[in-house]
Amino acid sequence: MTPTTLATLIEDLNAGRLKVVDLTQPLGPATPVIGLPPIFAASPGVTIEVISRYDDKGPAWYWNTLRFGEHTGTHFDAPVHWITGRNLPDNACDTIPARRFVGPACVIDVTRDVAVNPDFLLTPERIDAWEIEHGRIGRGAWVLLRTGWSRRTDAAAFLNLAADGPHSPGFDARASRMLAHDRDVLGVGVETIGTDAGQAGTFDPPFPNHTIMHGAGKFGLASLCNLDQLPATGAVVIAAPLKIAGGSGSPLRVIAITPP
Ligand code: 23J
Ligand code: MN
């Protein structure tokens, strides 16, 4: 990394040789929130309340008060979010070194599998096949699971709730272990409401991806979109949460820098 690298980055962005892709969903009252079994506390929906809008409360300025859970919309999961990560060093939004918010993206496309099976789980065998085609997932990479789920713009279709709970894709526990321990990734990103499959509350262990990733000090990114605009390899993702003191996660703007 030299000053030339950064000058070239800006030149390439200006010339269209690189582009910035926004991987973020809008955050507002329509943002769906995760539905946990009713024995657990629920996360609130988003509320936005006007403080003033060029009126008697503030004649020349407009601003709002926001209220939402830390895990709402396109958001970041810090290791402290899960009990397995609670005692790790630098495990919260304010203490994770900023360097760890930037990494190369490996995009694993399972859209066709998910189209026929909304409960599809990524397996180590599937990762092996991806690596034969694209090369080994490097240490410090963001692994993004492209499922097409962000095309479900209707909240009911996005949550896909049935009598036996939600149905959405995710990770087999063995795949989470492979990525966290053997590949030493930064974390995983998904298009669904959380980084575990909809049915993961019934898995052993429950919510295996959260359990394994956060126990290994890795991160999560949920409710991503526009993954279809990224190559399998070659993009860089920047995902920096709000610096919430002791925060377990935060909504954030996730951007990718990629060849067009
Ligand atoms: C709390 C409990 C279970 C889950 C989650 C949160 C998330 O998905 C999240 O947003 O981290 S599965
Ligand atoms: Mn979360």
Side-chain angles (χ1 to χ4, degrees):
M1 280 292 166
T2 65
T4 317
T5 308
L6 290 176
T8 306
L9 169 65
I10 298 303
E11 282 168 22
D12 287 351
L13 286 168
N14 288 342
R17 290 186 292 269
L18 291 173
K19 66 174 181 170
V20 175
V21 177
D22 190 352
L23 306 183
T24 319
Q25 301 274 13
L27 184 68
T31 299
V33 288
I34 191 168
L36 295 177
I39 54 163
F40 302 121
S43 184
V46 175
T47 54
I48 303 181
E49 183 195 347
V50 176
I51 302 172
S52 74
R53 192 160 189 153
Y54 330 119
D55 52 22
D56 52 358
K57 306 249 179 75
W61 50 94
Y62 164 54
W63 50 354
N64 300 314
T65 300
L66 305 178
R67 181 171 191 267
F68 44 76
E70 290 175 328
H71 298 258
T72 304
T74 301
H75 75 269
F76 182 95
D77 292 347
V80 74
H81 177 44
W82 220 255
I83 191 166
T84 48
R86 70 189 291 181
N87 293 319
L88 294 176
D90 301 336
N91 61 358
C93 286
D94 57 332
T95 55
I96 297 165
R99 166 67 188 91
R100 303 193 66 208
F101 299 143
V102 182
C106 295
V107 182
I108 303 180
D109 184 3
V110 297
T111 305
R112 292 161 70 97
D113 306 77
V114 171
V116 295
N117 176 19
D119 297 307
F120 174 83
L121 303 179
L122 186 74
T123 59
E125 293 72 28
R126 222 23 220 282
I127 298 171
D128 289 340
W130 185 94
E131 289 187 329
I132 288 167
E133 197 175 343
H134 301 289
R136 188 177 163 98
I137 295 170
R139 170 183 245 184
W142 286 111
V143 173
L144 306 181
L145 187 62
R146 177 180 163 193
T147 55
W149 206 260
S150 61
R151 292 188 304 222
R152 295 178 174 235
T153 51
D154 174 74
F158 185 74
L159 296 169
N160 204 28
L161 190 62
D164 61 349
H167 290 266
S168 56
F171 300 88
D172 182 292
R174 295 177 303 123
S176 298
R177 283 188 204 103
M178 176 181 178
L179 294 173
H181 300 138
D182 303 336
R183 295 297 179 271
D184 198 13
V185 300
L186 279 180
V188 294
V190 298
E191 295 180 48
T192 46
I193 197 144
T195 63
D196 263 296
Q199 288 287 295
T202 70
F203 295 176
D204 182 25
F207 307 111
N209 188 70
H210 281 78
T211 301
I212 293 160
M213 282 291 152
H214 300 327
K218 310 307 185 189
F219 312 140
L221 296 171
S223 293
L224 299 174
C225 59
N226 295 328
L227 296 183
D228 55 347
Q229 294 184 40
L230 302 184
T233 64
V236 168
V237 163
I238 303 173
L242 296 180
K243 204 165 183 170
I244 300 168
S248 77
S250 111
L252 80 173
R253 197 74 179 250
V254 182
I255 59 169
I257 303 174
T258 180

